[in-house]
Amino acid sequence: MPSPDRQGSRPRAAVVGTGGIVTGSHLPALTSLRDRVELVAAVDVDQGRLDGFRARAAEAGFADVSAHTDLDAMLEAARPDLVLIGTPPVFHREQTVAALKSGAWVLCEKPLTLSLAEYDEIAAAEEASGAYASVVFQHRYGSGAVHARSLLTEGTLGRPLVAHCQTTWYRDTAYYDVPWRGKWASEGGGPVMGHGIHQFDLMLHLLGEWTEIRAMAARLVHDTESEDVSTALVRFKDGALGTVVNSVLSPDETSRIRIDCEKATVELTHLYGHGNDDWRYTPAPGSEQPPAPTADVPSSHTAQLTALLDAYDAGTRPPGSGQSARGTLEFAAALYKSAFTGATVTAGEIGPGDPFYAAMHGDHPDWSPQQ
């Protein structure tokens, strides 16, 4: 929560990485919420990119953003209250832990870590510092997702029975020319970790705990260490059954979640973000049309940053952190373990000593990095 000498003042934010995701999503979010947060510093190893970001920040009204090429130096000099991280995944754990140790809260792009072992290092750093780290899962936020979760939680739609979660996107070979993509050590996995994770995070957010998963994965097109497509069957704690597809091989791109309940079907179809019009409710025969949300707030970094600032002001754990975010990473690890071993994986079984706890490839001979 805010330090005593900053009570009543806007939290001071810093960004780490000034590439496309920070410039295109985090900076607009900070700008929209500038009455609640102040951007004071930016970090990037590329001085030219850093200078370009500072110019954009100045145009947005943040005229005094200090520039740094070293994270530790920035943390010491600027003493930010909040650090927004938009670097490649390989740096997330180290940078998040450093920010937490300085006392700053963190909002980090997905995946927060490359393994459950790394995630538990962040949990330990949270406990030691009293600060919190959230992962960017912006599809949980916005009025459509909030409304759907409320209807499901309150039982308005009846018991969930069948779910489908689909991330079918297209990435050409040039996409994987970026050196860190498609490699376990730097990206943590393929479309499970880098693409579909947004949709199955939202699915888990809507439906709650799962109990078992059976999966398959393949490299069908791209010459990568990790997969380029995966499928899974999932059983949820309440008995519902679901399917999950994560692909970067699909020219007709879509992101989709459908949940068939006793009283209605709720369906979300979009690509990279949703508003109320992307949600559709179909009542079962004899059932009433579910109520519509009263506001239309699109899913976005702005919506998630708003929720984080609400938690910061209240001094409470922010959404998208702790066990909530760890559960999504555990689901990814379980999907990989099932796909690579052919076994059914149950919730909670992957822990210290399990090779899939330390790395998503689990040191499997057909999938682990070439030595």
Side-chain angles (χ1 to χ4, degrees):
M1 65 188 309
S3 60
D5 60 330
R6 292 182 183 171
Q7 292 284 351
S9 62
R10 292 179 298 164
R12 294 157 47 82
V15 297
V16 182
T18 58
I21 193 64
V22 169
T23 300
S25 296
H26 288 279
L27 181 57
L30 290 164
T31 303
S32 295
L33 295 166
R34 57 178 304 172
D35 61 328
R36 299 188 60 186
V37 63
E38 179 184 6
L39 178 61
V40 299
V43 180
D44 202 303
V45 295
D46 185 317
Q47 187 65 52
R49 192 164 56 210
L50 183 58
D51 292 341
F53 175 82
R54 291 183 71 218
R56 287 176 178 263
E59 292 172 359
F62 297 110
D64 298 318
V65 177
S66 61
H68 307 264
T69 55
D70 179 79
L71 173 61
D72 291 333
M74 182 278 290
L75 293 172
E76 178 65 27
R79 306 301 300 174
D81 303 298
L82 172 64
V83 175
L84 289 75
I85 298 175
T87 53
V90 66
F91 302 114
H92 289 178
R93 178 198 58 81
E94 179 182 0
Q95 292 172 342
T96 297
V97 169
L100 289 170
K101 286 183 176 179
S102 78
W105 286 31
V106 175
L107 179 61
C108 181
E109 284 296 323
K110 55 76 186 165
L112 180 57
T113 63
L114 304 185
S115 68
L116 287 169
E118 286 191 354
Y119 192 93
D120 290 344
E121 290 183 49
I122 287 177
E126 280 189 330
E127 185 174 357
S129 68
Y132 298 113
S134 293
V135 59
V136 175
F137 284 135
Q138 72 271 24
H139 294 320
R140 292 187 186 191
Y141 305 86
S143 52
V146 171
H147 184 66
R149 189 169 192 257
S150 177
L151 294 178
L152 287 161
T153 301
E154 294 170 0
T156 303
L157 307 182
R159 185 164 57 99
L161 303 171
V162 183
H164 305 279
C165 179
Q166 174 185 351
T167 304
T168 43
W169 293 357
Y170 185 80
R171 298 294 183 265
D172 60 17
T173 54
Y175 176 83
Y176 289 100
D177 288 342
V178 177
W180 56 266
R181 288 180 176 151
K183 295 183 172 61
W184 294 107
S186 51
E187 193 172 20
V192 169
M193 289 286 276
H195 306 85
I197 193 169
H198 277 300
Q199 296 315 305
F200 65 72
D201 172 76
L202 179 55
M203 177 189 71
L204 297 172
H205 183 62
L206 294 174
L207 289 177
E209 297 180 52
W210 58 278
T211 58
E212 63 179 296
I213 185 170
R214 308 175 189 182
M216 294 186 291
R219 302 183 197 96
L220 297 182
V221 173
H222 297 294
D223 183 17
T224 57
E225 291 180 351
S226 53
E227 85 290 358
D228 56 16
V229 63
S230 69
T231 62
L233 302 176
V234 186
R235 189 186 305 275
F236 290 89
K237 188 175 182 178
D238 66 359
L241 299 180
T243 64
V244 178
V245 178
N246 306 299
S247 166
V248 289
L249 309 178
S250 308
D252 183 7
E253 296 186 295
T254 192
S255 305
R256 181 170 176 259
I257 290 177
R258 170 176 168 148
I259 303 171
D260 297 317
C261 303
E262 292 174 311
K263 299 180 181 180
T265 292
V266 53
E267 186 171 7
L268 166 66
T269 305
H270 67 116
L271 189 54
Y272 299 134
H274 56 78
N276 287 353
D277 288 345
D278 299 309
W279 294 80
R280 183 164 63 95
Y281 291 84
T282 304
S287 296
E288 296 182 359
Q289 179 71 35
T294 57
D296 192 356
V297 179
S299 66
S300 66
H301 285 65
T302 301
Q304 180 162 3
L305 183 57
T306 299
L308 186 147
L309 291 173
D310 290 344
Y312 183 86
D313 291 344
T316 58
R317 175 176 285 282
S321 67
Q323 288 301 312
S324 171
R326 190 185 190 280
T328 299
L329 198 67
E330 181 191 2
F331 186 89
L335 192 158
Y336 279 128
K337 181 176 181 179
S338 177
F340 296 168
T341 66
T344 297
V345 177
T346 58
E349 79 170 58
I350 301 176
D354 189 311
F356 288 89
Y357 176 77
M360 291 292 171
H361 55 71
D363 287 327
H364 190 279
D366 296 333
W367 286 96
S368 60
Q370 299 298 315
Q371 301 299 322

